Amino acid sequence: MTQRQNTPAPRNTADVVILGAGPAGLLLANLLHRNGVDCAVLERATRAHVQTRARAGFLAATTVRTLERHGLADGLHRRGHRHGTCEFRTDDGRFRLDYATLGRRDQHTVYPQQDLVTDLLTHYLDAGGRIHFETEALAVPDPHSTRPTVTVRDADGRPDHWQARYVAGCDGRHGAARRSLPPGTVRHHRDHGVSWLGLLAQAPPSLDAVGYALHPHGFAGHMARTPHVTRYYLQYERGTPADTWTEDRIWHELDTRMRTDDHGPLHHGPIAHRTVVDLESDVVQPLRHGSLLLAGDAASLISPSAAKGANLAVLEAELLAHALTDTLAHGDRGALDRYSAQALTHIWRAQDFSLWMIRLLHAEPGQPHGESFFHESLRRSRLASLRTSRTHQDWFAENYVGV
Ligand code: APR
């Protein structure tokens, strides 16, 4: 289904074909369209699906500034709310970090990703942008061609193809862009060996902070989404199906792991959505393969431990929009290689902090007693330093909110 047509363009061609209508693909589409670059978005799912799919929700200050710079922040200013505190809970008690007063004094804006996607889509369509829903990219058979083709299955299930000068792979970790990478492409992959049960509870937040509980049963996390919806995470045994635990068991574990002597029980409510997340990192290097460019989850997968995924997607989309515009409008031949190098600098920095968080939040899985004692002692020492050292707190705040 095509949503509104721009000035007439030949059917199934665009200078830039963008795969995927997540935050990366839609920000890129908005910026390219505004810069006068002929582009079209191909999205596998329906419009209703992309606008309602619950994902991340913590926008970094740099992300908000990027969206403001391009006039795309009206929704998040109206309905998002600022957030600048996190709380660590252990069997020794709890402590809070007001990270909005530390480091660069930046804070998050809590705004559900599906609302951001809806805003970006609305702006793009209002400006006359082209997008085709229910159109699945199957492959980019020859990414090194100067006129690459994207093979697709259209909304009626028929095979079709698109012709482009550049293809922006913003179609996530299981998309066609990753499948089309030339043999020998380097993918740095790390399985952190830990899984989370991700939960959306129809219950008001129980803390006015992001909560990280480090408990002998495993990690538990609390993140406000809206006044009526809270995201929780529970460390969960790898390979266990998401529907194994009853709601009673889930709330019992959350209550147990998050309990402190001086704070009341959590607000319970129905679990509206649950999913298992295996904590993994994965970076494709480089992000340019001839005419195929990667951004967002297609470029790099990051564990949700520090809420960096959507923020990296926005940052990369802006860098890629500049690079494609410089290439297509100004003939700058080096711009796309520079995109890859610049984006990877940010990606590795975020991966580093995310790994630091993973090591802080979890006991080392499957370690013999001596090794796990060593790791536990390091975790306690790291937490003590975070509790007491202003320098460490500033470092944490800068990395926690930034990308
Ligand atoms: N063809 C067309 N569209 C596809 C295909 C395909 N073969 N495969 C996937 N898609 C679409 C998905 O339906 C989705 O709408 O690509 C889009 C990818 O969007 P996201 O997964 O949101 O990825 P991205 O834009 O990179 O944003 C990353 O999303 O998963 C969260 O935590 C992650 O917050 C991070 C952010």
Side-chain angles (χ1 to χ4, degrees):
M1 177 185 26
T2 305
Q3 302 280 328
R4 205 172 297 184
Q5 205 75 17
N6 193 13
T7 45
R11 191 176 173 275
N12 287 10
T13 69
D15 281 345
V16 180
V17 171
I18 300 169
L19 312 183
L26 286 173
L27 178 59
L28 178 63
N30 270 283
L31 302 187
L32 289 179
H33 185 72
R34 189 172 299 175
N35 291 348
V37 173
D38 169 39
C39 63
V41 181
L42 310 182
E43 165 57 51
R44 180 179 60 184
T46 61
R47 179 173 181 177
H49 184 73
V50 302
Q51 291 190 187
T52 51
R53 187 174 39 193
R55 310 288 282 278
F58 269 64
L59 301 181
T62 43
T63 302
V64 173
R65 286 195 282 270
T66 300
L67 295 166
E68 282 170 345
R69 211 169 25 250
H70 300 294
L72 298 168
D74 45 347
L76 68 91
H77 283 318
R78 264 201 316 276
R79 296 187 303 278
H81 59 273
R82 303 286 206 109
H83 188 94
T85 309
C86 61
E87 179 172 311
F88 290 90
R89 295 180 166 197
T90 68
D91 43 12
D92 294 334
R94 62 189 176 118
F95 70 92
R96 289 163 79 89
L97 289 182
D98 288 321
Y99 57 83
T101 64
L102 297 163
R104 293 176 194 263
R105 294 179 168 70
D106 278 334
Q107 49 191 319
H108 286 111
T109 299
V110 183
Y111 192 56
Q113 186 168 312
Q114 64 271 30
D115 293 353
L116 175 63
V117 163
T118 299
D119 295 348
L120 292 173
L121 186 56
T122 306
H123 278 282
Y124 181 58
L125 292 172
D126 286 351
R130 283 195 285 165
I131 180 163
H132 298 256
F133 289 103
E134 298 172 73
T135 300
E136 181 180 9
L138 300 176
V140 186
D142 184 6
H144 281 279
S145 158
T146 50
R147 297 294 295 181
T149 298
V150 184
T151 56
V152 306
R153 187 165 28 231
D154 72 13
D156 299 316
R158 285 187 302 249
D160 203 351
H161 68 274
W162 276 74
Q163 203 130 53
R165 289 175 69 184
Y166 292 99
V167 178
C170 304
D171 50 349
R173 71 179 296 196
H174 299 299
R178 277 197 170 208
R179 286 198 302 274
S180 304
L181 292 171
T185 301
V186 178
R187 277 177 58 178
H188 303 280
H189 180 259
R190 171 76 61 93
D191 182 344
H192 303 294
V194 181
S195 299
W196 287 358
L197 182 63
L199 303 158
L200 270 184
Q202 282 170 339
S206 297
L207 330 181
D208 58 350
V210 177
Y212 296 110
L214 285 63
H215 188 271
H217 288 192
F219 163 72
H222 162 287
M223 286 158 207
R225 271 291 179 279
T226 71
H228 313 290
V229 176
T230 307
R231 187 105 168 112
Y232 285 101
Y233 290 109
L234 277 171
Q235 192 176 344
Y236 200 58
E237 192 169 340
R238 176 65 63 93
T240 311
D243 57 4
T244 304
W245 287 10
T246 61
E247 293 204 7
D248 283 349
R249 172 142 191 219
I250 287 170
W251 284 113
H252 176 73
E253 277 301 321
L254 286 168
D255 284 334
T256 304
R257 297 185 195 186
M258 301 212 66
R259 176 168 301 138
T260 56
D261 292 338
D262 56 347
H263 195 276
L266 305 176
H267 299 303
H268 291 196
I271 304 291
H273 185 258
R274 52 169 94 187
T275 181
V276 173
V277 188
D278 294 333
L279 270 57
E280 290 176 274
S281 299
D282 196 352
V283 183
V284 175
Q285 196 152 358
L287 302 179
R288 176 186 185 183
H289 297 270
S291 304
L292 175 63
L293 291 310
L294 304 184
D297 276 7
S300 124
L301 200 66
I302 189 161
S303 88
S305 57
K308 299 282 184 215
N311 295 298
L312 276 175
V314 165
L315 184 145
E316 290 156 27
E318 190 192 38
L319 289 174
L320 184 53
H322 284 314
L324 282 166
T325 305
D326 287 346
T327 305
L328 286 162
H330 313 300
D332 180 348
R333 296 170 140 259
L336 293 174
D337 290 322
R338 284 200 302 279
Y339 158 69
S340 173
Q342 277 179 325
L344 283 165
T345 307
H346 294 286
I347 287 170
W348 283 115
R349 174 105 188 255
Q351 291 285 0
D352 179 32
F353 184 69
S354 176
L355 183 59
W356 182 92
M357 285 289 280
I358 289 170
R359 291 197 170 133
L360 181 74
L361 300 179
H362 306 96
E364 202 113 292
Q367 288 292 325
H369 178 69
E371 281 296 310
S372 65
F373 178 83
F374 190 85
H375 180 72
E376 278 311 295
S377 306
L378 290 181
R379 286 212 299 159
R380 283 182 189 281
S381 163
R382 188 174 282 184
L383 268 177
S385 168
L386 201 53
R387 187 198 285 254
T388 54
S389 159
R390 172 65 198 247
T391 308
H392 202 169
Q393 292 169 357
D394 283 332
W395 174 87
F396 172 83
E398 182 175 334
N399 284 278
Y400 188 60
V401 199
V403 272

